[in-house]
Amino acid sequence: MRSPETVLDNLAKQALRPDYKFQRLYRNLYNTDFYLMAYSKIYAKEGNMTPGSEGETIDGMSLERIQMLIQNLKDFSYQPKPSRRVYIPKKNGGKRPLGVPSFEDKLLQEVIRMILNSIYDPVFSTKSHGFRENRSCHTALKQVKNTFTGVKWFVEGDIKGFFDNIDHHTLINILKRRIDDEAFMNLIWKFLRAGFVENWTFNNTYSGTPQGGIISPVLSNIYLNELDNFVAKLKYSFDKGKARKRLKEYRTREARLIRAKGSYRARWTELKPVEKEMCRQHVKELKKQMMELPYKDPMDDGYRRIQYVRYADDFLLGVIGSKEDCIGIKQAITKFLETELKIELSQEKTLITHSSKSARFLGYDVRISHDADTTKKTASGHKQRTRTMAVELLMPHEAWRDKLLDYKALKIESDTQKWESIHRGHLLQNDDLEILLAYNAEIRGIYNYYKLANDVYKLDSFKHIMEYSMYKTFANKYKTSVRKINAKFRINGHFGVRYDTKKGSKVAFFYSAGFKKVQSEEFDPKMDLLADYKRNYIYNRTKLVDRLLSRKCEWCEMEGVPLQMHHVRKLKDLKGKKRWEKRMIERKRKTLALCRSCHLDLHNGKLD
């Protein structure tokens, strides 16, 4: 059989042919190398150690399990297991349902995901950023910053319960436009209708994508690519004019300035020093009056534009036009979603906001600067406006405040609203280095996300509260005061923790790198261009797969035997009392390739 990378590369090439229909995709599911490739991609995720509805996990992964899965696909007896429903906490105090599929289902879904991704990703809109390689929240925000300059209105899109309400028949019909393989389509249909188990009761799924399923993100992108195409057509019919016309009053003031300069230049040599200074001041005043007005007419009815960016089911439109135009756009999208995609746009949450106020997108506040007075000198010494109608990405105050509350590093007095750093009890059992690194990771985490914000420097306040929370955590751990803790851990003027390594003693310091805004030029400008789409399917067999195929037990060293891969969720969960645990810790591996007998002995406590 052909290698997976060859198959995926050929699919991606054919995807660029708009009328091409893909056939015989199902036969690729008989290729063992596809499953080994999928296994190497997903094995490290901790969720694989969470049992599905049938109670099995990734532990014991073997070639035999793959061959059994392929055999079930060949005789068409394969049936996905219903996912096990669990609930995870939400920020607002509620709970979000999550499905836990069986590991075999995850493995097969990863193979299907790679195939679907090869077919669809090359032709997805450049406005789509969610769940795609080389794209992220940051690339979506960067596109907003680069393309929304001058917009007058924002339309914040909100789809009601999108992932739970995807219409199965509509999705299958969309897929059938490009895929002509009944067996492959039936398999996707089985995943859509697999259902879920909650409190030992089976529940059917009549809409939505598989919760917790690996194929859900790509299926949702295929579904909403229809919206992307619709907005592109809407933009084509809506956009009007090549550029805004010059503002008449601006041209009048500009002409006045030019005439004054010409007049003074003609008789400059005849003027006295006092008269020259008066001329300079007059020219300066005329220039100031001209710069008070925008160069182009912001109310030009002959110029309209729509800009659009989407990340998963969140999308933002920027409109140069009237509020009535925005209402019409909202109505058009509402009708399209209801009639064509069978989903609903939330009328209450889909806001139309003037660009002088902030729109919320991907956790940022997006605003257009209306400050006409901000200027800078060019290299030639002339003044030019720098921020008029430019996009500003801002960090919401509640973003870092809520993080402090989530981390339990902050207490806000209900009566006085006074903020106070507090110690974090759940960290007290950790060693000193783990406590320090936990705080550093949390500070870097929020900075890495908000590094595009104009006001990211405000994270200094976040850091200050986290710093004193850390001091109080150490003080609580050692039953002493913050002052004494500072004296104990202060190294060359900085708070740090010494630790030993094989190469000697080292020091980890508390975060002190600051919070500087990352400029647009630091991003790869080619990342969002479809023409530069690069397939990341180059697959070399990993050491993990080589170990599984070696047929040599890593414990008893018997050769020529089928192996099962033993998995643990986290290395730190191992106590290191048993020899096999020590071996995994020494090698820093969460896996151990064992023969069936050794794997059974391990689970029965007889391996040592």
Side-chain angles (χ1 to χ4, degrees):
M1 286 190 175
R2 293 184 300 172
S3 65
E5 60 268 29
T6 300
V7 173
L8 297 174
D9 188 65
N10 287 338
L11 291 176
K13 289 178 181 177
Q14 298 294 350
L16 297 175
R17 297 169 56 186
D19 298 328
Y20 187 83
K21 295 200 75 170
F22 294 86
Q23 299 175 331
R24 298 191 296 173
L25 295 176
Y26 193 80
R27 63 177 182 169
N28 292 301
L29 304 181
Y30 305 156
N31 189 338
T32 302
D33 281 345
F34 256 115
Y35 296 92
L36 294 173
M37 183 178 183
Y39 176 53
S40 67
K41 284 177 175 288
I42 67 175
Y43 83 96
K45 297 179 180 179
E46 293 178 10
N48 291 323
M49 290 300 293
T50 302
S53 59
E54 85 298 347
E56 293 186 359
T57 68
I58 190 175
D59 186 47
M61 177 60 188
S62 63
L63 285 176
E64 184 180 9
R65 287 173 73 171
I66 293 176
Q67 294 304 325
M68 288 178 62
L69 177 57
I70 292 175
Q71 183 55 46
N72 290 337
L73 290 166
K74 284 182 176 179
D75 61 23
F76 301 100
S77 64
Y78 174 80
Q79 180 62 46
K81 307 290 192 305
S83 61
R84 182 171 66 88
R85 174 158 287 190
V86 296
Y87 290 88
I88 57 176
K90 296 169 66 174
K91 289 183 178 180
N92 61 9
K95 292 186 177 181
R96 186 190 307 278
L98 182 69
V100 182
S102 70
F103 180 71
E104 272 75 7
D105 290 346
K106 288 182 181 179
L107 196 65
L108 178 55
Q109 283 191 38
E110 174 60 19
V111 176
I112 295 172
R113 185 204 66 80
M114 289 188 288
I115 292 172
L116 289 176
N117 205 57
S118 292
I119 294 171
Y120 285 96
D121 196 78
V123 294
F124 277 156
S125 168
T126 57
K127 309 296 184 181
S128 167
H129 296 264
F131 314 123
R132 297 180 64 190
E133 290 178 2
N134 295 328
R135 291 174 183 264
S136 64
C137 293
H138 283 171
T139 61
L141 290 160
K142 177 176 174 281
Q143 193 170 67
V144 168
K145 186 171 181 62
N146 290 343
T147 62
F148 277 49
T149 301
V151 303
K152 304 291 286 186
W153 300 92
F154 295 118
V155 181
E156 305 172 50
D158 187 279
I159 300 173
K160 283 187 178 179
F162 169 69
F163 290 97
D164 293 331
N165 292 308
I166 289 176
D167 183 77
H168 291 169
H169 292 281
T170 302
L171 175 59
I172 292 297
N173 288 335
I174 292 171
L175 291 167
K176 283 184 176 179
R177 293 177 197 164
R178 301 224 65 184
I179 298 174
D180 183 15
D181 186 332
E182 200 63 32
F184 190 79
M185 297 306 299
N186 285 339
L187 183 58
I188 292 178
W189 185 261
K190 285 181 179 181
F191 276 113
L192 293 174
R193 291 299 178 96
F196 63 91
V197 172
E198 183 176 11
N199 296 327
W200 305 102
T201 303
F202 173 77
N203 298 268
N204 285 304
T205 47
Y206 298 107
S207 65
T209 53
Q211 289 190 350
I214 291 175
I215 59 171
S216 293
V218 68
L219 290 178
S220 67
N221 267 338
I222 292 169
Y223 203 77
L224 284 181
N225 189 57
E226 300 297 303
L227 173 62
D228 300 339
N229 293 335
F230 173 76
V231 175
K233 293 176 182 176
L234 189 65
K235 174 179 173 62
Y236 181 79
S237 61
F238 180 87
D239 286 4
K240 182 180 177 182
K242 292 185 177 180
R244 287 190 180 96
K245 63 184 179 182
R246 293 271 301 274
L247 186 65
K248 187 175 181 180
E249 179 60 25
Y250 183 93
R251 295 176 66 182
T252 300
R253 296 187 183 187
E254 182 184 40
R256 192 179 299 152
L257 174 64
I258 292 172
R259 285 196 302 269
K261 283 184 175 180
S263 173
Y264 296 146
R265 189 180 299 112
R267 51 195 180 90
W268 189 254
T269 56
E270 303 171 3
L271 298 176
K272 297 177 181 179
V274 175
E275 293 174 326
K276 288 182 178 180
E277 182 60 28
M278 290 175 63
C279 292
R280 290 192 190 97
Q281 292 302 319
H282 185 221
V283 168
K284 188 175 181 180
E285 179 61 28
L286 291 176
K287 181 72 177 289
K288 180 181 177 182
Q289 291 175 10
M290 184 186 72
M291 297 293 284
E292 287 173 351
L293 297 175
Y295 177 74
K296 300 287 184 70
D297 184 359
M299 306 304 291
D300 183 6
D301 293 334
Y303 183 79
R304 301 190 310 184
R305 286 291 186 273
I306 291 178
Q307 299 296 345
Y308 166 78
V309 175
R310 180 177 65 81
Y311 184 94
D313 59 329
D314 291 331
F315 62 90
L316 183 68
L317 292 112
V319 179
I320 297 177
S322 65
K323 187 173 184 179
E324 288 70 27
D325 291 332
C326 296
I327 293 172
I329 292 167
K330 179 178 175 180
Q331 290 173 345
I333 293 175
T334 298
K335 183 179 179 181
F336 173 79
L337 292 177
E338 289 179 353
T339 57
E340 300 297 327
L341 297 183
K342 307 298 189 296
I343 51 180
E344 186 178 353
L345 188 72
S346 172
Q347 299 302 307
E348 301 79 23
K349 294 183 180 179
T350 301
L351 306 176
I352 297 175
T353 309
H354 192 267
S355 63
S356 60
K357 299 178 182 177
S358 297
R360 186 65 55 88
F361 185 58
L362 300 180
Y364 276 71
D365 280 339
V366 183
R367 190 176 66 189
I368 303 298
S369 170
H370 288 70
D371 185 1
D373 295 331
T374 305
T375 60
K376 71 174 182 180
K377 283 191 176 182
T378 64
S380 60
H382 295 91
K383 283 187 177 181
Q384 69 177 22
R385 279 185 278 262
T386 58
R387 294 168 60 106
T388 304
M389 304 302 286
V391 179
E392 293 182 334
L393 300 177
L394 304 173
M395 179 178 62
H397 170 76
E398 60 269 23
W400 59 271
R401 180 202 63 195
D402 291 348
K403 275 292 183 185
L404 290 169
L405 295 173
D406 289 343
Y407 291 150
K408 294 181 171 55
L410 171 68
K411 179 176 69 174
I412 302 177
E413 298 289 347
S414 57
D415 50 349
T416 63
Q417 292 298 300
K418 181 182 177 182
W419 289 25
E420 182 183 359
S421 298
I422 55 176
H423 80 276
R424 300 165 71 184
H426 68 280
L427 294 177
L428 295 178
Q429 302 304 315
N430 294 2
D431 62 38
D432 295 346
L433 181 61
E434 288 176 332
I435 294 173
L436 176 68
L437 294 181
Y439 277 94
N440 282 351
E442 288 158 352
I443 293 170
R444 287 192 183 97
I446 191 170
Y447 170 54
N448 284 338
Y449 189 75
Y450 284 105
K451 60 187 177 182
L452 300 181
N454 291 40
D455 56 351
V456 69
Y457 61 86
K458 291 181 179 178
L459 283 179
D460 275 323
S461 299
F462 174 85
K463 178 201 165 192
H464 176 78
I465 293 171
M466 289 287 278
E467 184 174 4
Y468 275 85
S469 170
M470 181 186 67
Y471 295 159
K472 291 181 179 181
T473 301
F474 275 103
N476 196 277
K477 177 179 179 178
Y478 288 103
K479 308 301 179 187
T480 185
S481 66
V482 168
R483 182 178 61 81
K484 291 181 179 178
I485 283 294
N486 256 309
K488 177 180 179 180
F489 288 93
R490 194 63 57 174
I491 302 172
N492 297 329
H494 299 281
F495 190 95
V497 172
R498 298 186 188 276
Y499 62 100
D500 295 325
T501 68
K502 291 181 179 179
K503 296 182 179 180
S505 179
K506 292 187 176 181
V507 179
F509 289 104
F510 181 67
Y511 181 85
S512 60
F515 304 101
K516 181 183 177 182
K517 176 190 171 186
V518 174
Q519 301 299 323
S520 296
E521 54 267 23
E522 295 183 40
F523 283 83
D524 181 2
K526 297 181 180 180
M527 184 174 291
D528 295 332
L529 297 181
L530 188 63
D532 293 296
Y533 168 77
K534 296 180 180 178
R535 293 172 295 280
N536 189 21
Y537 295 129
I538 299 173
Y539 168 58
N540 297 313
R541 280 186 172 168
T542 62
K543 289 183 178 179
L544 176 77
V545 172
D546 286 338
R547 289 162 58 210
L548 182 62
L549 297 176
S550 68
R551 298 180 65 81
K552 179 179 179 180
C553 178
E554 292 179 349
W555 186 257
C556 69
E557 297 186 350
M558 184 179 292
E559 297 184 1
V561 293
L563 300 179
Q564 296 180 349
M565 196 66 71
H566 177 67
H567 285 256
V568 296
R569 188 181 297 270
K570 295 179 181 178
L571 274 178
K572 68 178 184 180
D573 293 339
L574 299 176
K575 298 179 180 178
K577 294 182 179 180
K578 298 181 179 180
R579 284 191 298 139
W580 65 266
E581 290 180 328
K582 291 178 181 177
R583 182 174 297 186
M584 293 181 76
I585 293 171
E586 288 170 358
R587 297 182 180 182
K588 296 182 180 179
R589 287 178 178 170
K590 296 193 294 182
T591 56
L592 193 63
L594 303 171
C595 64
R596 293 177 185 174
S597 177
C598 287
H599 194 216
L600 185 62
D601 286 345
L602 185 150
H603 281 283
N604 290 332
K606 299 177 181 179
L607 193 61
D608 279 352

